[in-house]
Amino acid sequence: MPTVLAGVSLLDAERIRHVASPLIELGCALHVLAEPRHHDRAEWAARVPLSDGLRAELAQWTWTVRAVRARFFATSPAIGMPSWDDELAALKKRPPEEVAAELVRPLRGRPLSSRATDNAAVLHWARSRGRSTAVLVEALLTDPAEPVRRFTDLLDACWREWFRHVWDESRDALAARGRHDRDLAIRDGVGVMLRSLDAAIDVRDADSVVVQKVQSKRIDISTRSLLLAPSNYIAPHLFVGEIPGEPITILYPAVGRAADVPTAQQIRARLDALASPDRLQVCRAVASEPRTAGEIAALWGLHPTQVTRHLRALTRAGLVTAEREGRFVAYHLNNDALTTLGADLLTLIMR
């Protein structure tokens, strides 16, 4: 189920660039404002100095900055550290139909390369988000000039009211992190650099890395460019963007690699092992003290062969540990594995 980046050994470091983009970072920050709890930033969100008018307008557009993002929030044609004025001006110069198509992307379910827009489906899913969203989306589809202007004005208001100060404090550090990562690729290789970006990335072999995400995908980067965009607001997510005609974009936490992220296979093995009621009884039997398979079968009225099978499954999943005492094998519950199961699952899903 992971995402695999293949062709790593063929990616010339000269095709790697980095950007500290205020527009991308604003998109990440707006995503956090829309759902601060799963970013563990509720206190930060409460302190953002938003006027009542801006807060109300942001609420109308929240759906555009959640799981699926517009192209301009996910990649950049710039190198280094573009200015806000330049990025906003470039966005305003684009045809409103193009910008509108990107804004409704979360409701479309089609790749950005597709020119056909199923307006009926887009409107249907817009209605599921409330009347105000449906009205706004209908305007984007039928007469986009005004709602697109309204959206760019919203971005500029965010910049003037609060985000400019956030950017001034963080831009140099983000640019320095991007330069460091590109230099690391030149010095130690692309695979080493990619692994250093986030705990969800690991080297599989000399030609590929694995990104632990609940997203089964294989991306060949051997003939593509790579854009590195560190962010102070992307965690706990890791965004790997594959936009036709654009570099493969990686939005990653600027703080760097944290604790390892479990694989989907590991999580599924634990969940499958616990799906049987009898296995839950076996877990209960070994929760307080080590017990042998025979003792568990006798105390809980289970067939010894079944208990042995359950213990093997639980051991393979890392939920039970085995200890040999002479000719006996005693089993004990791995409390840490069970305690972290929920957190590990959430970490994997959030990536």
Side-chain angles (χ1 to χ4, degrees):
M1 188 173 281
T3 296
V4 176
L5 300 182
V8 169
S9 63
L10 299 177
L11 176 61
D12 192 324
E14 295 303 316
R15 285 187 276 125
I16 300 175
R17 59 184 177 87
H18 61 88
V19 66
S21 161
L23 186 57
I24 291 177
E25 188 72 338
L26 176 57
C28 294
L30 291 177
H31 174 84
V32 176
L33 278 178
E35 192 58 57
R37 289 175 300 173
H38 78 232
H39 290 264
D40 197 23
R41 302 190 77 156
E43 292 184 5
W44 171 85
R47 292 196 305 267
V48 173
L50 300 175
S51 64
D52 291 342
L54 181 54
R55 190 179 298 275
E57 184 69 356
L58 279 172
Q60 296 293 308
W61 294 92
T62 296
W63 54 276
T64 66
V65 291
R66 287 190 180 268
V68 181
R69 303 178 184 217
R71 179 193 299 250
F72 49 80
F73 283 145
T75 191
S76 172
I79 299 175
M81 190 164 54
S83 71
W84 171 257
D85 289 340
D86 287 345
E87 289 200 311
L88 185 63
L91 184 60
K92 288 182 174 180
K93 286 180 181 178
R94 294 181 57 189
E97 295 80 9
E98 287 185 7
V99 178
E102 292 187 24
L103 288 172
V104 302
R105 182 186 173 209
L107 307 173
R108 190 192 311 156
R110 293 174 181 267
L112 287 178
S113 59
S114 173
R115 296 298 180 183
T117 301
D118 187 346
N119 288 1
V122 169
L123 287 172
H124 173 76
W125 297 121
R127 293 187 192 104
S128 73
R129 287 163 169 78
R131 176 173 171 75
S132 61
T133 298
V135 171
L136 186 53
V137 169
E138 184 172 9
L140 285 167
L141 294 175
T142 58
D143 190 13
E146 174 58 24
V148 167
R149 181 202 60 76
R150 178 180 162 189
F151 183 78
T152 54
D153 286 350
L154 171 65
L155 296 181
D156 203 30
C158 288
W159 174 260
R160 287 183 281 104
E161 284 198 20
W162 64 280
F163 192 71
R164 175 177 57 190
H165 305 294
V166 173
W167 183 247
D168 287 345
E169 293 176 355
S170 59
R171 62 182 182 182
D172 292 338
L174 292 179
R177 175 65 200 268
R179 287 194 301 270
H180 168 273
D181 293 329
R182 185 178 183 277
D183 291 344
L184 180 62
I186 295 173
R187 186 180 70 245
D188 295 341
V190 177
V192 171
M193 181 274 291
L194 290 173
R195 187 180 186 277
S196 75
L197 299 184
D198 188 77
I201 303 176
D202 210 351
V203 176
R204 186 171 73 173
D205 53 46
D207 197 50
S208 62
V209 299
V210 175
V211 184
Q212 298 302 338
K213 292 177 69 70
V214 185
Q215 182 182 42
S216 185
K217 182 185 292 188
R218 184 182 185 276
I219 303 174
D220 187 351
I221 64 174
S222 62
T223 60
R224 303 284 296 273
S225 298
L226 187 65
L227 177 64
L228 305 175
S231 167
N232 287 322
Y233 297 95
I234 194 67
H237 307 309
L238 175 72
F239 178 84
V240 181
E242 186 184 18
I243 302 173
E246 299 289 343
I248 302 298
T249 302
I250 302 182
L251 304 185
Y252 57 98
V255 296
R257 190 176 180 93
D260 288 343
V261 176
T263 68
Q265 183 179 7
Q266 290 170 331
I267 295 294
R268 287 200 309 271
R270 294 186 211 171
L271 294 175
D272 289 344
L274 294 171
S276 164
D278 286 348
R279 285 182 192 156
L280 289 178
Q281 290 193 61
V282 171
C283 287
R284 178 67 186 88
V286 298
S288 301
E289 60 177 312
R291 284 192 167 107
T292 66
E295 184 181 5
I296 296 169
L299 291 175
W300 266 262
L302 300 172
H303 194 281
T305 302
Q306 289 181 327
V307 172
T308 300
R309 290 173 181 168
H310 293 325
L311 286 169
R312 286 174 180 169
L314 291 166
T315 302
R316 285 195 301 268
L319 299 173
V320 165
T321 59
E323 298 178 4
R324 178 170 288 279
E325 290 289 342
R327 61 190 184 90
F328 295 100
V329 177
Y331 297 85
H332 197 279
L333 191 67
N334 185 346
N335 291 349
D336 291 341
L338 278 171
T339 300
T340 60
L341 178 56
D344 288 346
L345 176 59
L346 184 61
T347 297
L348 177 63
I349 291 174
M350 284 300 177
R351 278 300 194 280

